[in-house]
């Protein structure tokens, strides 16, 4: 034995690898996928709601009739046909030609995750700071960590990111001599909270970023999955300069195809394409053709309505179960769309420390710590309602409530039974300034 660790390559890795850790969600997948476990942990869409027979026939025809082109290399920006279809999809949310949306400025990506990675590659140097909602999407935290950037969390409340806290964070970081590159935000049906940035705050956030010279990276995977009328217009529908709009077909069609996109300011488009070509050469021609054909030949607008109805029913099932079964002191958000509820535990409970006992009770969730760069959030958990049936959702909440009741009882007898760091209440941090991690 010559090494002192289980990994004999430790001293050979690049510096940017040293901080890489597995996400809270990925670590749960192996356990949560067991049939006896009710998983409220993932973020998977309910693919069975698609007309799978028709989709299967469509995919078969693509291979049989167009395989010579769809199975061949393509161009780095993505096919023109798909980029034109993407513009049709964005127009439903108000991002159209009147605000400068053009197929020429769309770059097709391998899901929304590659879109995030491309933006990070273009703009982040080691030590740069990204402002992001607290909590925020765990996959974005992984991208920023890989870029050796730091995340300053900006608190949220029931109306989304707090503009005053954003201004304070920018000012604090400027005084400290820190270089903030952009605001990363999921303003509509946010992951993990389900909260939507209010109409009035959208304009204020854009004004603040414009005055500070900050770019805005708007991530919008869920904007077309609203349950209670139309969502507020995206940030990109309001301003074209300095706003990058990222989205994906993973939540509205099929995540397995891995097709997303960036609508970028024109000057940046070519650099995004060059960066993408360096990573992947080109996005999958077959996957692009599948999405283009789906959008061109199948009733995808009606399918969006189907998804909304399915997810509304499941959201309602979760909210009812939480109200009926959760112990006193538990609170949660009421999302108007998307896939998630963000729960705040009674004082003294720790979602990360409680996780093994929840798995033993055959229920899974994601501890809140996964959504903060600094490891706080132990007083919260993310609950997914898109994939389990309403009956499974209620059973999962029943099991989870039982685990929480046991934790509360143990605390009364023995005091604190574990902990993984500072708590953070729903709605943001205890202080108005940025949390830099």
């Amino acid at each position: 034995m010559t090494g002192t660790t289980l990994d004999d390559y430790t001293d050979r890795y690049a510096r940017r690898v040293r901080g890489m850790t597995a996400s809270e969600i990925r670590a749960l997948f192996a356990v949560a996928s067991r049939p006896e476990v009710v998983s409220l942990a993932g973020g998977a869409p309910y693919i069975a709601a698609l007309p799978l027979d028709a989709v299967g026939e469509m995919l078969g025809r693509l291979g049989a009739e167009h395989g010579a082109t769809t199975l061949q290399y393509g161009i780095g920006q993505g096919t023109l046909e798909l980029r034109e279809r993407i513009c049709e999809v964005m127009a439903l949310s108000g991002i159209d030609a009147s605000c400068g949306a053009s197929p020429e400025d769309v770059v097709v990506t391998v899901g929304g995750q590659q879109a995030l990675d491309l933006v990070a590659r273009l703009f982040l140097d080691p030590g740069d700071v990204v402002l992001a909602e607290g909590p925020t999407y765990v996959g974005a935290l992984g991208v920023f960590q890989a870029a050796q950037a730091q995340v300053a969390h900006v608190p949220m409340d029931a109306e989304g990111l707090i503009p005053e806290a954003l201004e304070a964070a920018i000012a604090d970081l400027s005084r400290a001599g820190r270089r903030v590159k952009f605001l990363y935000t999921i303003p509509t049906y946010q992951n993990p909270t389900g909260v939507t940035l209010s109409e009035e705050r959208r304009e204020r956030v854009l004004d603040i970023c414009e005055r500070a010279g900050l770019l805005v990276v708007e991530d919008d995977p869920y904007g077309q999955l609203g349950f209670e009328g139309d969502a507020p217009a995206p940030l990109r529908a309001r301003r074209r300069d300095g706003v990058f709009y990222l989205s994906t077909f993973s939540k509205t069609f099929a995540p397995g195809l891995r097709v997303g996109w960036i609508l970028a300011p024109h000057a940046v488009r070519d650099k995004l394409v060059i960066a993408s070509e360096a990573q992947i050469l080109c996005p999958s021609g077959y996957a692009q053709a599948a999405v283009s054909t789906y959008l061109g030949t199948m009733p995808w607008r009606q399918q969006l309505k189907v998804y909304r109805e399915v997810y509304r029913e499941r959201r309602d099932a979760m909210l009812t179960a939480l109200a009926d079964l959760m112990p006193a002191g538990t609170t949660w958000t009421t999302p108007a769309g998307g896939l998630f509820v963000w729960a705040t535990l009674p004082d003294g409970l720790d979602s990360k420390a409680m996780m093994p006992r929840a798995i033993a009770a055959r229920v899974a969730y994601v501890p809140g710590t996964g959504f903060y760069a600094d490891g706080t959030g132990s007083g919260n958990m993310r609950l997914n309602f898109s994939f389990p049936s309403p009956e499974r959702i209620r059973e999962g909440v029943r099991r989870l409530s039982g685990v929480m009741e046991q934790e509360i009882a143990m605390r009364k007898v023995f005091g604190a039974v574990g902990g993984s760091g500072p708590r953070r209440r729903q709605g943001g941090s205890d202080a108005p300034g940025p949390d830099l991690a």
Side-chain angles (χ1 to χ4, degrees):
M1 294 289 289
T2 59
T4 58
T5 72
L6 294 177
D7 186 350
D8 290 337
Y9 297 89
T10 298
D11 60 348
R12 301 170 187 257
Y13 289 130
R15 283 191 294 272
R16 62 180 170 274
V17 176
R18 293 175 185 172
M20 288 185 178
T21 57
S23 79
E24 303 276 358
I25 298 175
R26 298 292 178 267
L28 285 171
F29 273 178
V31 173
S33 62
R34 297 174 185 169
E36 70 272 17
V37 175
V38 178
S39 177
L40 308 176
Y46 186 59
I47 295 299
L50 284 168
L52 293 177
D53 288 348
V55 171
E57 291 176 8
M58 178 195 80
L59 295 175
R61 288 195 303 272
L62 276 179
E65 300 173 11
H66 305 286
T69 54
T70 61
L71 300 178
Q72 186 55 274
Y73 287 116
I75 63 173
Q77 188 176 356
T79 66
L80 177 59
E81 180 183 7
L82 178 56
R83 287 184 278 122
E84 289 174 340
R85 296 290 184 191
I86 285 171
C87 286
E88 293 175 12
V89 171
M90 291 191 295
L92 288 182
S93 302
I95 304 174
D96 55 24
S98 69
C99 57
S102 163
E104 292 302 308
D105 295 330
V106 171
V107 177
V108 178
T109 60
V110 182
Q113 194 68 17
Q114 193 209 4
L116 272 172
D117 189 69
L118 289 175
V119 172
R121 284 172 182 266
L122 258 60
F123 290 104
L124 294 179
D125 289 316
D128 283 345
V129 177
V130 175
L131 290 170
E133 293 138 344
T136 194
Y137 169 50
V138 63
L141 292 177
V143 167
F144 303 148
Q145 180 186 66
Q148 297 177 277
Q150 294 182 301
V151 174
H153 286 298
V154 181
M156 303 171 65
D157 61 18
E159 294 185 60
L161 185 146
I162 301 170
E164 295 81 4
L166 176 62
E167 285 188 297
I170 293 170
D172 289 349
L173 290 162
S174 178
R175 283 192 294 269
R178 304 305 303 275
R179 183 167 61 169
V180 182
K181 284 295 185 68
F182 56 77
L183 168 68
Y184 170 71
T185 178
I186 311 170
T188 306
Y189 315 136
Q190 199 244 13
N191 179 3
T193 65
V195 168
T196 296
L197 185 65
S198 67
E199 184 76 39
E200 182 265 343
R201 287 190 181 182
R202 291 181 183 234
E203 294 294 338
R204 290 173 63 191
V205 165
L206 286 168
D207 287 342
I208 290 166
C209 291
E210 186 173 317
R211 288 195 301 269
L214 285 186
L215 301 175
V216 176
V217 178
E218 178 181 18
D219 199 356
D220 189 26
Y222 314 104
Q224 294 180 346
L225 296 177
F227 312 144
E228 299 169 5
D230 295 332
L235 304 181
R236 180 57 182 79
R238 302 158 191 267
R239 309 278 172 96
R240 68 174 70 182
D241 295 329
V243 179
F244 291 75
Y245 181 82
L246 284 54
S247 193
T248 178
F249 291 104
S250 292
K251 304 301 187 291
T252 57
F253 180 27
L257 290 173
R258 309 305 304 131
V259 177
W261 75 90
I262 306 173
L263 176 64
H266 185 74
V268 184
R269 186 272 318 273
D270 287 345
K271 291 183 174 60
L272 285 167
V273 173
I274 292 168
S276 182
E277 288 173 341
Q279 284 184 321
I280 62 168
L281 291 182
C282 61
S284 163
Y286 183 80
Q288 291 181 84
V291 175
S292 296
T293 304
Y294 173 76
L295 295 173
T297 65
M298 301 190 73
W300 61 273
R301 292 175 180 84
Q302 182 61 37
Q303 185 60 41
L304 286 176
K305 294 179 182 178
V306 171
Y307 274 132
R308 291 179 194 131
E309 289 300 320
V310 168
Y311 296 156
R312 180 192 290 115
E313 178 187 23
R314 294 174 182 214
R315 184 231 22 205
D316 291 347
M318 175 162 283
L319 295 179
T320 299
L322 291 170
D324 290 346
L325 301 170
M326 276 286 147
T330 312
T331 60
W332 50 87
T333 58
T334 302
L339 311 183
F340 307 109
V341 166
W342 182 249
T344 299
L345 304 180
D347 286 338
L349 295 194
D350 183 316
S351 62
K352 190 169 186 177
M354 191 172 71
M355 190 69 211
R357 291 180 279 278
I359 293 297
R362 297 171 298 154
V363 62
Y365 57 86
V366 185
T369 50
F371 304 98
Y372 289 98
D374 56 7
T376 56
S378 62
N380 302 101
M381 62 175 70
R382 191 191 75 176
L383 304 174
N384 167 257
F385 54 78
S386 62
F387 193 75
S389 68
E391 296 74 22
R392 291 280 284 176
I393 288 170
R394 188 171 183 87
E395 175 60 19
V397 172
R398 185 192 68 79
R399 295 178 188 182
L400 180 56
S401 176
V403 173
M404 293 168 61
E405 294 282 11
Q406 291 176 354
E407 295 286 302
I408 293 169
M410 289 175 64
R411 284 189 60 84
K412 288 180 179 178
V413 175
F414 300 108
V417 292
S420 58
R423 290 170 60 86
R424 195 188 293 252
R425 306 297 294 177
Q426 189 277 323
S429 66
D430 296 327
D435 254 323
L436 193 61

